Amino acid sequence: MRDLSGVFKAYDIRGIVGEQLDSDLVRDTGASFARQVGGPAVVIGHDMRASSPGLASAFADGVLQEGLDVVMIGLASTDMLYFASGSLNLPGAMFTASHNPARYNGIKLCRPGAAPVGQDTGLTEIQREVEAGVPPTAGKTPGTLETRDLLAGYVTYLRRLVDLSSSRPLKVVVDAGNGMGGHTVPAMFDGLPIDVVPMYFELDGTFPNHEANPLDPKNIVDLQAKVREVGADAGVAFDGDADRCFVVDERGEPVSPSAITALVAARELAKDPGGTVIHNLITSHAVPEIVAEHGGKPVRTRVGHSFIKAEMAATGAIFGGEHSAHYYFRDFWNADTGMLAALHVLAALGEQDGPLSELTSAYSRYAASGEINSTVDDQAARMAAVKEAFAGREGVRSDETDGLTVELPDGGWFNLRPSNTEPLLRLNVEAADDAAVAALRDEVLAIVRG
């Protein structure tokens, strides 16, 4: 029996093409997925990686042999696949490895209405069946395949949610990182009062210019320089499958995803007063504060899209945000879309005369460390040592919802979480100013790395 534990992850399937991921494995996965979702059809999209069309076709073969139909939408961002799943009310499969290097590929699966498929919602069962061998198909009439272009429908849907037609003219640099933003951005902004300055829009799964992960500071250096060079009002960077976006202001300075979460939450609450907004526990404390100030109900969750989406479904939340620059919308089937978040930011900027730095400063209240990774031999022992070091201090509160979160009486706090896949501990610190962040960061790291 095959062991696929290295390929089937918590939220998706991902591996090195030709070594961990091949057409036979993908075909079996398509058949197992079809058996689980039942029908009548599955919608399939893929990114610009050289291996993606072939793998998507193999997956389609597996679905078809189980008697389900296939709707192929071709080149797509991940949020475009979610649009297809939601608008057609079909289960879906997206072939992408997001920002991973070119030799990787993967599959993101969803049920009808873009409902997530992860380890706790069907992925484990698919893994077991593929490992054991998918039973042969008997007596089923193969399904039929049709091809549809849903880009125009995706654009129309998002532009109805955020109207930019009356915005003041804006100049915006967009870095697509040679990923799927190069496919979706031209269509999305066509005819709007947005002068797009394109960077790396050529679809190229080898990522010749930089890794398509805008959360890594080195990957937005080009964007920052171009914003300053052309005097742009803002800069936006998308990751490889364009489901995340990262924003820089007119000075080329990064805008925290927590500030974007707070800004978009305020806009969504203006449309739906009293609504619930989800945030994970490493977003800035400014997020729940601002949500409450705008009459909303903030709800805190663990880190990870499956937890966010589950909580959104359970609470009927209008919006959710993570510090990883994933943004989730009730109006988008509770799924994440970086494009819709970017439209909100540009609409907010275009509705007033001030610069983006001034607009976002109202949503950025504290200093933060960003995520700091430490390689450790024993995650549990290091976590316990940190917990013990802070346990007896007056006014200190802690919880273990996701790793260890410690709240200090002066308002500073930190979260220390173990990686699920590597021998790492991930530290996030927030406090009143940079000096307080540095002091708390250094104290925790001395224990973690001591």
Side-chain angles (χ1 to χ4, degrees):
M1 190 170 84
R2 288 186 285 189
D3 178 9
L4 299 176
S5 57
V7 179
F8 280 73
K9 311 294 186 180
Y11 313 122
D12 62 7
I13 299 161
R14 203 171 294 199
I16 299 173
V17 177
E19 295 179 23
Q20 299 169 300
L21 209 62
D22 58 28
S23 294
D24 290 339
L25 171 59
V26 169
R27 187 176 295 106
D28 287 350
T29 303
S32 181
F33 182 61
R35 288 161 60 86
Q36 185 171 115
V37 298
V42 174
V43 60
I44 301 173
H46 64 79
D47 70 9
M48 66 292 148
R49 293 166 188 267
S51 61
S52 290
L55 292 176
S57 180
F59 187 93
D61 288 343
V63 172
L64 292 168
Q65 75 185 25
E66 290 294 326
L68 276 65
D69 296 335
V70 166
V71 179
M72 294 289 274
I73 64 170
L75 281 169
S77 58
T78 291
D79 67 330
M80 191 172 149
L81 185 278
Y82 293 150
F83 163 76
S85 173
S87 61
L88 300 176
N89 197 33
L90 294 176
M94 175 66 192
F95 280 78
T96 182
S98 187
H99 61 274
N100 285 136
R103 65 184 186 278
Y104 286 85
N105 214 322
I107 319 169
K108 295 181 178 180
L109 300 171
C110 63
R111 295 185 183 276
V117 173
Q119 282 185 343
D120 298 329
T121 50
L123 199 55
T124 298
E125 288 74 20
I126 294 172
Q127 177 185 341
R128 288 174 182 156
E129 186 167 68
V130 174
E131 285 178 337
V134 180
T137 304
K140 294 181 180 177
T141 303
T144 60
L145 184 147
E146 69 167 306
T147 300
R148 290 197 204 178
D149 184 353
L150 295 183
L151 179 59
Y154 162 79
V155 168
T156 299
Y157 185 83
L158 290 190
R159 283 171 57 160
R160 283 177 183 158
L161 294 178
V162 178
D163 183 12
L164 275 161
S165 61
S166 59
S167 168
R168 67 181 170 93
L170 298 173
K171 179 182 286 189
V172 180
V173 180
V174 178
D175 183 348
N178 298 108
M180 290 312 303
H183 180 64
T184 57
V185 168
M188 186 63 66
F189 290 97
D190 183 44
L192 295 178
I194 310 292
D195 176 13
V196 173
V197 180
M199 294 186 69
Y200 313 138
F201 272 36
E202 303 78 19
L203 301 182
D204 188 339
T206 68
F207 306 113
N209 293 291
H210 59 71
E211 184 184 47
N213 178 16
L215 278 186
D216 187 333
K218 72 175 183 289
N219 295 322
I220 63 166
V221 170
D222 292 354
L223 174 65
Q224 293 172 294
K226 180 62 75 171
V227 165
R228 290 189 285 259
E229 176 193 331
V230 303
D233 296 290
V236 177
F238 290 95
D239 68 344
D241 60 337
D243 62 348
R244 291 186 296 154
C245 80
F246 195 87
V247 179
V248 303
D249 65 24
E250 79 286 352
R251 306 166 302 174
E253 294 298 317
V255 180
S256 161
S258 286
I260 300 300
T261 297
L263 184 156
V264 176
R267 288 176 56 84
E268 289 290 286
L269 286 166
K271 295 191 300 182
D272 200 333
T276 297
V277 173
I278 310 297
H279 64 99
N280 73 26
L281 52 73
I282 62 170
T283 54
S284 170
H285 277 18
V287 173
E289 291 171 4
I290 290 167
V291 168
E293 289 163 11
H294 284 78
K297 179 184 178 184
V299 173
R300 178 175 177 263
T301 74
R302 293 180 62 184
V303 175
H305 78 92
S306 64
F307 303 112
I308 292 268
K309 289 178 178 176
E311 197 65 32
M312 288 192 69
T315 62
I318 59 175
F319 174 64
E322 294 195 90
H323 201 67
S324 56
H326 281 284
Y327 306 103
Y328 308 80
F329 295 82
R330 184 182 64 190
D331 291 341
F332 198 72
W333 301 280
N334 292 334
D336 43 324
T337 163
M339 184 67 78
L340 186 52
L343 294 177
H344 269 288
V345 172
L346 296 179
L349 178 59
E351 289 166 4
Q352 47 89 64
D353 295 328
L356 184 58
S357 58
E358 182 180 294
L359 173 66
T360 56
S361 66
Y363 303 97
S364 305
R365 297 181 173 179
Y366 308 108
S369 65
E371 191 155 89
I372 303 166
N373 292 325
S374 301
T375 301
V376 296
D377 293 330
D378 189 333
Q379 292 172 318
R382 293 296 88 204
M383 293 273 291
V386 173
K387 181 180 178 181
E388 181 180 0
F390 285 86
R393 303 187 189 184
E394 184 177 352
V396 169
R397 294 178 293 121
S398 67
D399 75 67
E400 296 179 63
T401 301
D402 189 357
L404 173 68
T405 301
V406 174
E407 305 259 1
L408 305 180
D410 64 1
W413 62 274
F414 68 85
N415 173 267
L416 187 67
R417 297 163 26 251
S419 165
N420 292 322
T421 57
E422 301 171 272
L424 299 175
L425 288 177
R426 307 188 190 281
L427 174 66
N428 284 271
V429 179
E430 183 172 83
D433 53 43
D434 289 336
V437 166
L440 184 54
R441 175 200 66 205
D442 292 348
E443 183 178 4
V444 177
L445 288 179
I447 303 168
V448 169
R449 298 174 178 176

